[in-house]
Structures are given as structure tokens and as C-alpha cells.
Amino acid sequence: MAKLQPQHWLGNLSTPQQWRHLLRATLRECTYLPDPVARTYMREHVLSRYRAVSSRHSKAGPQMVHAARNGLSVLQRANEGYSRPLEKILYLSYGRTGKRRHEMLAELLKPENPGIPNDTQAAKELISAPLKFHDGWQPPAIVRSLALSHVRNPVITSSRVRPLIKAVSPPIPKQDIWGKELAQSRKVKIRKHWYFATLNSLLPPLPEEDLRTLDGLVSGTTPWEPVKRRKGVKSEANARSESAVLKLLVKGPEKENTFADYANGRPHVITARFMRRLWRRISALVPRQSWNEVSQKWRFEWDTPKLIPTLSYSLDSRIDSGAFFEEPPKPFRGNAKKPVRGEQPLPQ
């Protein structure tokens, strides 16, 4: 007698029509995202993921079905105004997490790759250079500069988007537990572990086009309006299915107002003020890269997640600033009290 296999609660999406329905629903939610960079990136990301699954359709089991529906749920909650799902989408779109962060990090490290030497001198330098992670090896200068800027930035420590960088250089002890010099293989492992852990913690800079878009959205110079959601037509069959008996069987008897719908956060009305706060948080996690001619090193600057009040103002050129200091200020005597017996009164 054949053993019955339990049916997965997510159902079976093996037919192309069901996968097509789920793909269209996910792409439709991508068009409603309130961020222009996120709309473009998430559409390409969803299509690439579905194409990867379709290429190995024989392995499309319950785990892939769960991942597809989970992605659709995240997009739906992000469009409803839930802060955490929307932040998750923005982190993916701006390369703070996920696949795009790896791509931008690889693009950042590409100039450091020596490649094939062009002449004899370059070949000699390549041969005499120490092996990777061995004694004398140094990490790329841009990685060290970016790691130092991470350590000095308290915003990254509090945000916890990526793991914290514990050391800016490989922590190699001078001696082992027996008091002898550390073995070469152990040094190589420590350097390798430190290097890849540092790369896993780095937040790479954005491309110029996306950075200009983000700065314009934060400052308000880039025009932005919330995307209007299209309303679906309710058929008679759907309206008939939502009867009072069905609601009673599915949701149970009606209760008074509870916080069950807001257990995982509450939806917000997506306004320009709400989005500008999220964009400023993203901007605080994006380093601005520039080359310092004096030190011949890369320099990285970071934005702040909140507006800093201006402590100084520039005067108009028509105003004579020296007029404010022609006469010494007179002492304020609004709260002057009568002198106590034995004290000298203040000079007038």
C-alpha cells in the first residue's frame, strides 16, 4: 500500500498558470512602491529570481513557494505603509543589504585587482609581491579607509544594518598558548577570516545616478508624489462569497477594537514627510567617496539621519557687520536689586 504524502499548507504551484498569477501580483506591487529606485530595482530583482526558478522547475518545491509568497507579502505590507517592510525594500534597492551590495562592493574592489602584467617590471613586482594572506600582505587601501570610516561613524553602530567591524587590522597574537611563535597556517587563517568578515560589514558607496536621486529626494528638489493604486473591479461571485456566514466561519464572532492587526507594527499614510524620514536614514548609511590629493588616500564622508540645526548664518553683503561692534554693550539692569547695607551700589 502506497504511503500518503501530506499536502503542504501552501498548496501546489506547479502549474504555469499559478506561477504566472503569483508573478503578476508581485510585479504589480513593485509598481506601487513609493521610491523610484526601488520600483526599478525590485522589478528586475523579481524577474531574475523567477527566471532562476523556472530554469530548474523540477526543484520548485514548497520552499520556493514559501519564498515567493513571502516576497509578495513584504511588498504588500510595504505599500500599505508598514515601516519595517518598507525599510527592508529600501535597503535592498540601495544596496545596503542583499545581492546589490555584493555587486557594488565587487565594483569598488575592481581597480585594486592587478590583473595581467603588461611589461617585465610589472611582472617582477607581481612575482615579488607576497602571497595573499601571508606575511607582508596588506588589504586594499580602499578597504582599510572604508573600514576606518565605519568604525568612526556612530550611526552605523546604532543602526545594526551590517555586522560591526571589531578590528581594522588582523588580530594576530605574537605567541600561541605554548609561548611559541604562531604557525604560518594559523596566521593565514586569521587574516582570511578578518578580511572576509570586514567585507561582510562594509557599506559600499552608491553609483552617481542613484546618489543624485537620493540626495534630491532627501532635500525635496526631486519632485515626488505617492503612487495611486488602481482599484480592482469586484465581481458578483466575490461579493457573494463574502457573506456573513463565511466571515463568521473564517474570523469567528466579531470583537471590539483590538490591537491584533498592529502586533507587527502599524500602517502609515505614505506622505512626503514619512518618506523623507526613511530616505534620510538610508542616506546616513551611504558613504560619499572622494580622493584626497594631500594624503593620496580615499576619503569617505557620511550624512546624518536627522537634521542638524544651523548654528551660524551668512549676513547679507549690504549689511555692515562692523556696525554691531561700534559701541560696547550696556549691562542689563532689568533684575537689579537694591544694595544690601554695607555693599557699594553698581556704577551707573
Side-chain angles (χ1 to χ4, degrees), residues 144-183:
R144 183 174 176 81
S145 300
L146 187 55
L148 282 172
S149 67
H150 276 65
V151 174
R152 295 168 183 169
N153 189 3
V155 177
I156 299 178
T157 306
S158 59
S159 63
R160 297 184 179 182
V161 177
R162 304 300 306 167
L164 299 180
I165 298 177
K166 299 180 180 179
V168 294
S169 60
I172 299 177
K174 296 182 179 179
Q175 297 177 347
D176 56 11
I177 58 175
W178 292 280
K180 299 180 181 180
E181 185 182 358
L182 205 65

Side-chain angles (χ1 to χ4, degrees), residues 1-260:
M1 184 176 180
K3 186 177 180 181
L4 296 176
Q5 298 292 337
Q7 187 176 3
H8 199 271
W9 66 277
L10 287 170
N12 184 16
L13 287 180
S14 57
T15 60
Q17 292 80 8
Q18 292 170 331
W19 278 108
R20 192 180 300 114
H21 172 73
L22 189 58
L23 173 60
R24 287 177 176 175
T26 309
L27 293 177
R28 190 182 308 114
E29 292 296 331
C30 291
T31 61
Y32 297 141
L33 289 172
D35 183 87
V37 177
R39 284 197 294 268
T40 304
Y41 174 76
M42 290 306 298
R43 183 182 183 278
E44 298 299 326
H45 178 68
V46 168
L47 288 175
S48 64
R49 295 295 296 169
Y50 271 81
R51 285 166 183 162
V53 172
S54 63
S55 63
R56 53 178 192 271
H57 58 87
S58 59
K59 299 181 181 179
Q63 293 182 352
M64 292 187 179
V65 175
H66 177 74
R69 293 193 174 179
N70 184 38
L72 176 59
S73 175
V74 171
L75 288 170
Q76 288 174 344
R77 286 180 288 130
N79 290 324
E80 290 173 3
Y82 286 90
S83 298
R84 289 189 177 181
L86 187 53
E87 276 189 350
K88 184 177 181 180
I89 296 298
L90 293 179
Y91 286 155
L92 287 171
S93 303
Y94 285 96
R96 304 304 92 188
T97 57
K99 181 181 178 182
R100 197 183 184 197
R101 189 191 74 88
H102 292 277
E103 294 175 351
M104 290 192 297
L105 196 59
E107 189 69 23
L108 183 69
L109 298 177
K110 188 179 292 184
E112 300 292 336
N113 186 8
I116 301 174
N118 297 325
D119 52 6
T120 307
Q121 184 63 26
K124 289 181 179 180
E125 292 178 358
L126 183 61
I127 293 173
S128 60
L131 296 177
K132 195 172 184 179
F133 306 128
H134 283 71
D135 290 341
W137 170 83
Q138 292 294 332
I142 194 169
V143 172
R144 183 174 176 81
S145 300
L146 187 55
L148 282 172
S149 67
H150 276 65
V151 174
R152 295 168 183 169
N153 189 3
V155 177
I156 299 178
T157 306
S158 59
S159 63
R160 297 184 179 182
V161 177
R162 304 300 306 167
L164 299 180
I165 298 177
K166 299 180 180 179
V168 294
S169 60
I172 299 177
K174 296 182 179 179
Q175 297 177 347
D176 56 11
I177 58 175
W178 292 280
K180 299 180 181 180
E181 185 182 358
L182 205 65
Q184 182 66 23
S185 59
R186 180 60 182 154
K187 293 180 182 179
V188 171
K189 288 182 180 179
I190 292 175
R191 293 191 188 100
K192 185 177 180 180
H193 176 77
W194 169 84
Y195 181 69
F196 287 109
T198 303
L199 291 183
N200 188 38
S201 303
L202 293 181
L203 295 172
L206 274 175
E208 290 296 331
E209 183 179 356
D210 292 345
L211 185 59
R212 285 196 299 268
T213 303
L214 180 61
D215 291 340
L217 292 172
V218 171
S219 60
T221 56
T222 301
W224 177 87
E225 291 182 359
V227 182
K228 295 182 180 180
R229 194 177 186 92
R230 298 184 297 272
K231 295 182 180 180
V233 180
K234 221 175 193 181
S235 61
E236 235 178 80
N238 293 336
R240 211 180 297 122
S241 63
E242 294 182 357
S243 60
V245 179
L246 183 60
K247 289 183 179 179
L248 179 64
L249 293 176
V250 174
K251 298 184 178 180
E254 293 186 0
K255 302 178 182 179
E256 296 183 356
N257 296 332
T258 63
F259 292 95

